[in-house]
Amino acid sequence: MSWPAVTLAEVAEIERKGVASDQIPDGASYLGLEHIESGGVILKKETVKKGDLSSTKFAFTSEHLLYGKLRPYLAKIALPDFDGVCSTDILPIRPGPRLDKRFLAFYLRQPSMVNYAASRAIGANLPRLSPKGLAAFPIPLPPLEEQRRIAEILDQADELRRLRIQALDRLNTLGQAIFHEMFGDVVTNPLGWQSVRLDELCEIGSSKRVFAKEFMSDGVPFYRGTEIGRLASGGRSEPTLFISSDHYERLIKQSGKPEIGDLLLPSICHDGRIWKVDQSDPFYFKDGRVLWIKSGKSEIDSEYLREYLRNLFLRNYASIASGIVFAELKIVNLKKLKIIYPPATLQKEFSLRIAEVEASRFRLMKSRSASVSLFAALQHRAFKGEL
């Protein structure tokens, strides 16, 4: 189906109504880009007092769509249900009588339009989309009732996708809750468990150095700290670097081979991401920036140890790490770290309970993937007039 195409400026107005900082009233709602998630979810709104904000802001109402013009590839495109003021890096758009606000939001959030916006942004380090550039965006214009019908279908599919993501987020915190229930707080140790130095239970080390000249276009995957972090989060991480099989064999003769159950963790700016190795396929990892706890065949259950360290780092990382610019976890600090060491039977019980959680998580991730694919397919069809 072919619909007439118009520019955004023909069917909506970009309203940059400035409000001086001393004119913003007490109790006003404020939104900055940091308050909006990629995809448009408003994480929170900040309630401000007169004088809290130091510069002019834009006024908006619940009738506006808010478009983040800074780094437009982040798709920070929100639909507020309240009035307030926002950062001037956010453009308030008021749709006219021929344009449905939800239809416009879904249209602007689709990947093709996000890429379109990014290609028209100006600036290398802080790319911004100009109001004039946004106003020239092509907008399909089906009848208003058709716009509302499309928006309703996409709303339902998007809600299903969000519910799957929220359920997965809740499931991701369940391991911490089970740990706390069984073993108490990792810092205060209220149950009085025995404390043991980590290096008395398992070997701790790092990989051997790999030089740039030794990388290849294919071969054995080589993971960097950021890629280890993505694997620790349960996602996929396609390696961008490889080493030859012969070089891999030489390296593991010196340092050993990562075994299933070993723990790998980035050493810098740690946020609780720890990958428990779950593959037997050969791989290697960046020296220095990834720490290796060889716990797969040690005296401590690796699932218990992973959750223990995650809890500890999230609670108390600053006291363990060192460095002024970057908080870096050193091997020497990790070795002498004292950890609570409950009986092996309890560790095993915890591991079994986590295995059940992981099985549920795997099923939910498949369900989420299906809902994301459904939403993307509906988006693609919707704006081609095929719904």
Side-chain angles (χ1 to χ4, degrees):
M1 183 183 298
S2 178
W3 295 322
V6 297
T7 64
L8 182 65
E10 293 178 73
V11 288
E13 184 176 356
I14 300 173
E15 296 186 343
R16 292 180 290 166
K17 181 182 177 183
V19 182
S21 57
D22 60 357
Q23 297 299 310
I24 298 172
D26 284 347
S29 295
Y30 168 70
L31 288 178
L33 282 174
E34 68 275 14
H35 300 134
I36 303 173
E37 195 175 55
S38 291
V41 173
I42 296 175
L43 300 172
K44 67 173 184 177
K45 60 180 177 180
E46 188 176 333
T47 301
V48 296
K49 296 179 181 178
K50 189 172 184 178
D52 280 354
L53 302 175
S54 59
S55 59
T56 297
K57 306 300 176 188
F58 288 152
F60 69 85
T61 71
S62 59
E63 296 178 359
H64 286 89
L65 176 149
L66 300 181
Y67 190 100
K69 69 174 184 178
L70 176 64
R71 298 190 179 97
Y73 56 82
L74 293 176
K76 295 196 172 188
I77 303 167
L79 296 175
D81 58 2
F82 54 90
D83 300 352
V85 293
C86 63
S87 160
T88 52
D89 280 324
I90 300 173
L91 298 174
I93 303 173
R94 185 189 293 274
R98 293 192 293 159
L99 183 62
D100 181 79
K101 183 175 72 168
R102 293 181 304 153
F103 174 86
L104 176 62
F106 282 121
Y107 177 75
L108 293 176
R109 288 174 190 158
Q110 64 175 319
S112 61
M113 289 308 297
V114 172
N115 293 337
Y116 183 86
S119 70
R120 282 154 179 77
I122 300 171
N125 296 325
L126 295 172
R128 284 180 168 84
L129 181 67
S130 70
K132 183 177 179 180
L134 179 59
F137 274 23
I139 306 292
L141 198 67
L144 193 57
E145 283 306 310
E146 178 66 5
Q147 294 179 41
R148 290 169 178 160
R149 186 185 73 85
I150 290 171
E152 186 63 34
I153 293 171
L154 293 178
D155 256 339
Q156 292 174 13
D158 195 33
E159 179 63 17
L160 178 63
R161 181 176 64 94
R162 292 188 190 283
L163 287 173
R164 295 288 187 271
I165 293 171
Q166 290 170 8
L168 192 56
D169 288 342
R170 288 194 293 270
L171 198 58
N172 286 339
T173 64
L174 186 55
Q176 295 178 46
I178 294 172
F179 184 95
H180 197 272
E181 171 201 323
M182 293 184 66
F183 306 112
D185 184 85
V186 294
V187 176
T188 61
N189 190 14
L191 300 179
W193 300 110
Q194 174 189 8
S195 287
V196 182
R197 270 181 57 136
L198 185 55
D199 62 359
E200 293 178 20
L201 298 169
C202 47
E203 187 180 348
I204 300 167
S206 185
S207 61
K208 297 298 179 182
R209 192 169 185 185
V210 179
F211 296 92
K213 64 181 181 180
E214 295 165 332
F215 292 121
M216 306 178 65
S217 59
D218 58 15
V220 176
F222 180 91
Y223 291 119
R224 294 172 291 187
T226 52
E227 292 165 331
I228 292 291
R230 284 194 288 273
L231 288 164
S233 300
R236 291 178 58 83
S237 185
E238 298 297 335
T240 55
L241 299 173
F242 300 87
I243 55 178
S244 70
S245 297
D246 289 344
H247 189 45
Y248 168 74
E249 293 296 333
R250 290 195 295 272
L251 289 169
I252 65 172
K253 280 182 181 179
Q254 299 175 59
S255 63
K257 175 184 176 182
E259 304 283 351
I260 291 177
D262 287 353
L263 304 182
L264 298 177
L265 53 150
S267 64
I268 292 181
C269 301
H270 205 281
D271 58 1
R273 290 177 296 173
I274 303 172
W275 182 36
K276 187 175 80 167
V277 177
D278 57 0
Q279 65 179 52
S280 56
D281 294 338
F283 72 90
Y284 209 63
F285 54 93
K286 186 171 178 63
D287 55 284
R289 295 298 173 88
V290 179
L291 302 181
W292 181 9
I293 303 176
K294 303 177 185 180
S295 54
K297 296 179 179 178
S298 69
E299 298 178 26
I300 188 166
D301 184 271
S302 57
E303 192 61 61
Y304 165 80
L305 180 58
R306 178 173 70 162
E307 194 60 44
Y308 178 90
L309 292 174
R310 287 185 67 234
N311 277 267
L312 184 65
F313 292 159
L314 290 171
R315 279 283 315 278
N316 212 32
Y317 183 73
S319 67
I320 305 167
S322 58
I324 298 173
V325 179
F326 294 107
E328 182 172 6
L329 185 62
K330 305 284 189 180
I331 289 178
V332 63
N333 294 344
L334 197 58
K335 285 183 175 180
K336 67 184 181 182
L337 187 66
K338 281 201 167 185
I339 68 168
I340 62 175
Y341 186 57
T345 52
L346 280 182
Q347 294 181 41
K348 185 62 176 176
E349 180 186 338
F350 173 76
S351 185
L352 291 172
R353 292 178 68 178
I354 291 300
E356 294 175 359
V357 172
E358 287 299 310
S360 297
R361 185 171 178 273
F362 177 75
R363 290 192 296 270
L364 192 54
M365 284 184 70
K366 287 184 66 176
S367 178
R368 184 190 72 167
S369 179
S371 63
V372 168
S373 297
L374 171 64
F375 180 69
L378 287 173
Q379 264 189 321
H380 180 72
R381 291 173 56 198
F383 301 111
K384 291 178 67 177
E386 296 175 357
L387 277 186

